[in-house]
Amino acid sequence: MSLGLAALSANAQKKSYLEMLANQPKWVDSVFNKLNRRERIAQMFFVRAHTNLGQKYIDSVGMVIKKEQLGGVIFFQGGPVRQARATNAYQKVSHVPLIVANDGEWGLGMRLDSTISYPYQMTLGAIQNKDLIYKMGLEVAKDFKRMGMQMNLAPDADINNNPKNPVINYRSFGENKFNVATKTATYMKGMQDGGLLTTLKHFPGHGDTDVDSHYDLPQLTFTAARLDSLEMYPFKEVIKQGASGIMIAHMNIPSLDNTPNLPSTLSKPIVTGILKERLGFKGLVISDAMDMKGVVKFFKDGEADVMGIVAGNDILELSENSERAVKLIRRAIRQGRISMKDVDISVRKILTAKYWAGLTQRDTVLVKNIIPEVNRTASNALVQELANASVTLLKGKDYIKNMIPIRRTAIISIGVTGVTRFQKEVSKGFYNSVYYVLDKDATAAQISNIAREVAAFDQVIVGIHDSRARPANNIPLNTGVKNFIKELSGKNTVFALFANPYNLATLPGLENSKCLVVGYQKEDYMQISAAAVINNRLIPAGKLPVSILPNFKFGDGL
C-alpha cells in the first residue's frame, strides 16, 4: 500500500468526534471519575495566553493553569518557539491534558510571527475550486498539530451581508449564503480530516451588524424567520456535515429572546433551544470571549459566566476571572440554578474531544526545526495557487489581450512608499516600462508631476494598494490621490486593486476604466497573480464574493 493510500485508509477508519461522543471511550470515564465537582467545572474554562508579553506574563498564565487546573488554553500573539515552550510548560502542570487552541482563520499567521498566513476568507470566497480550500484546511491542521494545538477557533461561517460590518467583513466568505455554507464546510472538513477540532462562528450570525461586539453589544432587529432562512443557513448546513464545534456570538436578538440587553451567549432559548434542540447540534458549544464588552457590559462580577453555563455553553473562553467563575457556578449548582448533570455532560464532551484529538498520549512539542516545519514549501505553493484561483477580472478581458509588450508603459503603484512586487512582475511582460510610486498622502505637486509625465506614455497600468495590516473598508488615500485615480480611469488605464473589494465603492471612476482586476489583499502573492492576469499568463477564474453597488454584483468576474 502506498503511503498516500495508507494515510487515507487510516483517516477513513478514525471515528469522527461526533461518532465518538455517541460511544464515549473508556478513557473518558476513567478521567471523569477522578475529578471532583470543582475540577469538573474548571474543565469548562479556557484561559488566554500570549508569548509576546514577556516571560513574567507567560509564567503567570502557567500559575493560573497549575492552581485552577483549567480545561484549555487559547494562544494569541507570539512566536512559534516561545509558544511551543509555553505549551510544554502548561501541559506539564496539568493533571488532565489541556486543549490548546488558537484563532487561526487564515492559519497560524493570524497570531504568530514567522509562520504562514493563508488568504483571508473573503479572498477564498472568490475561488471556484473547492479542492484548494480543502487542501488549505489539511495544511492548517498540520501546522496546528506541529505546534501542539488541537483546536482552531475557525472557520467563520458569518454571511457578510452588511458592507459596513466593522468586525467580520473580510473574515467572511462573502454575502451569499450558499457560497458561505459550501466554503465553510470545505475548510472545516479539511481541518477535521487533518485531526483538528474546529469551531464555526459566530452563531446565529454576526454578518449584518455595524457594531463590534468587542466594544459594545450589537443588536439584531430581524425577524426569527429572516434569521432562520439567512443568517443561520450556513450553520444549519454545516451541522449536517459533522461540525465538531460552534462558537456563540455576543449579540442582542429580541426576536429570539426578548430579555433586555441579553447577549445571545447568555440566552438559553438561543443556545439550548435553537442550537442544541431545534438544530440538533451535538458538538462542543463555545462562548465567544467572555471578557468582551458585548457580554460583560450588562452582566458584571462573574454573573455572565454563570449565565453562560445556564444557557448551555460547554466551554467559556477567556473569563475575566475563572477562579471566581468556578466558585459562582458551584454556588449556582447548590441554589438549583444550574444542574450538575448538565455540567457533567459538558465535561464528558470536553474529555471526549481531548481523546479524539490524541491528548491521551502525553507528548512534548519539539522546539527543534519548528519554524521550517510550519513554513513548508508545499504550503507556500498552495498560498500562491489560492491567490491565482481567487484573482477576479471585472472589466477589460479583450483590452489586456490587445496590449503591446514593446510599447512605452507607465506602471504606477498608489498607496505605497516604494516600488512594489506588482510593478516588478508586470514589467516582465512590458519591456519598455517605467515605475512611478505615489504615497497615500501625496501632495498636489507630487500628483501633478506624475500626471504630467504619465500623459506621454502609450499604456498605463496602476496598482492601488491598501497599506494597512488588515484590509478594512475606507482605504486611506487622500482626496487628491482619489481624484487622480478618477482622472486616470477616464483614460486607457488598467487597474488592479489590492484591497478589500468594498473599497471599489469609495473609488468612483474605476467602473469606467478599461480594465479592472481585483486582488482582495495587499500581499505579494496577490500582486503576483494580478500581474500574471495583466501579462496574459493566467486566466482569471475568481468571482466577486460580495456586491459593490451600484456597479458590481456577487458572482461577477470575466
Side-chain angles (χ1 to χ4, degrees):
M1 190 186 276
S2 76
L3 280 177
L5 284 173
L8 277 173
S9 87
N11 222 13
Q13 285 158 10
K14 183 179 175 179
K15 283 183 179 172
S16 74
Y17 168 61
L18 295 181
E19 286 169 336
M20 210 171 261
L21 264 185
N23 191 5
Q24 292 174 8
K26 289 191 174 71
W27 181 86
V28 171
D29 288 332
S30 67
V31 175
F32 179 83
N33 291 331
K34 289 189 190 104
L35 300 175
N36 63 32
R37 189 171 275 200
R38 192 200 60 76
E39 289 165 338
R40 286 179 196 175
I41 297 165
Q43 284 294 306
M44 301 172 79
F45 287 85
F46 283 26
V47 67
R48 171 190 288 273
H50 292 249
T51 57
N52 66 335
L53 299 176
Q55 195 58 43
K56 200 172 168 187
Y57 177 90
I58 293 170
D59 293 343
S60 72
V61 174
M63 294 301 289
V64 169
I65 291 168
K66 185 177 182 180
K67 183 183 176 195
E68 298 178 33
Q69 292 298 316
L70 303 173
V73 58
I74 300 171
F75 278 99
F76 288 83
Q77 275 66 23
V81 171
R82 286 165 290 165
Q83 183 172 311
R85 288 191 176 125
T87 299
N88 290 334
Y90 298 162
Q91 290 289 23
K92 205 171 178 179
V93 297
S94 295
H95 303 155
V96 179
L98 294 157
I99 286 179
V100 183
N102 182 287
D103 242 329
E105 293 164 28
W106 48 91
L108 294 180
M110 181 163 168
R111 299 295 182 196
L112 297 182
D113 62 36
S114 318
T115 58
I116 289 177
S117 283
Y118 288 88
Y120 299 120
Q121 286 188 197
M122 180 73 76
T123 309
L124 302 177
I127 293 176
Q128 302 306 298
N129 177 358
K130 285 194 318 189
D131 293 349
L132 290 174
I133 297 169
Y134 178 81
K135 276 187 199 166
M136 174 178 151
L138 286 175
E139 290 297 304
V140 169
K142 274 184 206 164
D143 289 340
F144 269 63
K145 289 172 85 173
R146 178 62 184 88
M147 289 295 309
M149 293 194 282
Q150 298 78 35
M151 178 185 277
N152 192 358
L153 301 173
D156 194 309
D158 297 312
I159 299 166
N160 202 73
N161 41 11
N162 184 340
K164 293 190 175 73
N165 193 322
V167 64
I168 305 302
N169 206 302
Y170 62 87
R171 295 166 59 195
S172 161
F173 288 114
E175 71 176 29
N176 177 280
K177 69 179 185 180
F178 304 109
N179 188 41
V180 170
T182 302
K183 302 277 168 66
T184 302
T186 307
Y187 183 22
M188 176 201 81
K189 279 183 189 161
M191 289 191 279
Q192 289 185 181
D193 287 354
L196 197 60
L197 294 158
T198 63
T199 314
L200 312 184
K201 57 190 184 187
H202 306 79
F203 184 85
H206 209 313
D208 196 350
T209 171
D210 55 6
V211 173
D212 184 341
S213 49
H214 289 86
Y215 307 111
D216 206 342
L217 179 64
Q219 188 177 65
L220 291 193
T221 54
F222 310 117
T223 64
R226 140 82 195 245
L227 290 162
D228 181 68
S229 65
L230 184 59
E231 273 76 10
M232 289 187 216
Y233 178 82
F235 295 95
K236 291 196 291 187
E237 288 302 303
V238 185
I239 286 169
K240 291 177 199 164
Q241 297 181 52
S244 63
I246 287 181
M247 182 186 288
I248 310 290
H250 302 315
M251 294 185 301
N252 179 246
I253 314 171
S255 67
L256 304 183
D257 186 334
N258 60 11
T259 311
N261 300 319
L262 188 72
S264 36
T265 344
L266 312 186
S267 164
K268 191 165 187 176
I270 293 173
V271 178
T272 297
I274 296 175
L275 180 60
K276 290 179 163 182
E277 293 172 358
R278 184 155 71 78
L279 303 186
F281 180 62
K282 301 280 189 283
L284 285 169
V285 181
I286 302 166
S287 75
D288 204 345
M290 295 299 288
D291 56 2
M292 285 162 64
K293 292 289 180 288
V295 72
V296 294
K297 182 177 177 181
F298 297 104
F299 301 92
K300 299 185 187 307
D301 304 323
E303 176 61 12
D305 295 309
V306 174
M307 289 177 68
I309 301 299
V310 171
N313 291 280
D314 300 307
I315 293 169
L316 296 186
E317 54 153 316
L318 319 185
S319 165
E320 289 182 307
N321 183 332
S322 47
E323 188 177 23
R324 173 185 69 186
V326 170
K327 281 180 187 159
L328 290 173
I329 289 162
R330 292 180 74 187
R331 186 195 297 164
I333 292 166
R334 289 194 298 273
Q335 291 168 342
R337 279 183 76 192
I338 294 172
S339 122
M340 193 63 208
K341 186 182 164 213
D342 288 343
V343 169
D344 288 348
I345 290 168
S346 291
V347 174
R348 285 179 165 279
K349 284 166 80 171
I350 293 161
L351 293 175
T352 305
K354 291 182 177 190
Y355 183 93
W356 182 85
L359 280 167
T360 53
Q361 307 297 316
R362 290 223 176 222
D363 209 358
T364 304
V365 185
L366 288 176
V367 175
K368 193 179 177 194
N369 292 331
I370 198 162
I371 290 179
E373 287 174 19
V374 293
N375 285 277
R376 297 179 300 282
T377 307
S379 306
N380 280 308
L382 179 59
V383 169
Q384 192 58 59
E385 269 191 274
L386 290 160
N388 290 349
S390 70
V391 71
T392 305
L393 179 62
L394 291 178
K395 296 192 71 179
K397 193 175 185 177
D398 293 332
Y399 187 79
I400 49 174
K401 276 192 183 138
N402 296 323
M403 289 176 80
I404 299 165
I406 54 170
R407 281 236 174 118
R408 291 193 70 221
T409 306
I411 308 173
I412 311 171
S413 270
I414 294 175
V416 288
T417 52
V419 171
T420 61
R421 184 68 183 266
F422 173 68
Q423 290 172 294
K424 291 173 185 170
E425 293 291 323
V426 170
S427 67
K428 292 175 184 174
F430 293 91
Y431 323 118
N432 191 4
S433 57
V434 178
Y435 300 153
Y436 293 93
V437 172
L438 200 60
D439 185 26
K440 61 185 173 62
D441 300 314
T443 64
Q446 289 167 327
I447 295 167
S448 64
N449 282 343
I450 289 184
R452 193 174 56 250
E453 290 195 27
V454 164
F457 284 83
D458 304 316
Q459 299 174 144
V460 181
I461 299 169
V462 178
I464 302 169
H465 304 257
D466 189 344
S467 57
R468 296 171 295 179
R470 300 277 184 266
N473 294 5
N474 303 316
I475 186 168
L477 302 172
N478 71 22
T479 309
V481 173
K482 284 187 177 178
N483 287 338
F484 178 56
I485 290 170
K486 189 174 183 181
E487 198 180 301
L488 282 176
S489 60
K491 297 172 182 168
N492 295 339
T493 307
V494 170
F495 285 94
L497 180 73
F498 301 108
N500 177 324
Y502 288 125
N503 286 292
L504 289 170
T506 62
L507 297 169
L510 287 181
E511 69 280 5
N512 303 319
S513 60
K514 287 290 182 192
C515 173
L516 180 56
V517 179
V518 179
Y520 298 100
Q521 48 190 95
K522 66 181 172 61
E523 282 72 18
D524 279 6
Y525 53 77
M526 290 306 316
Q527 297 184 39
I528 291 167
S529 299
V533 169
I534 292 165
N535 289 342
N536 294 302
R537 288 187 293 105
L538 173 66
I539 296 167
K543 305 288 182 195
L544 265 191
V546 291
S547 298
I548 298 98
L549 300 173
N551 303 305
F552 304 108
K553 301 185 305 298
F554 165 80
D556 280 358
L558 301 174

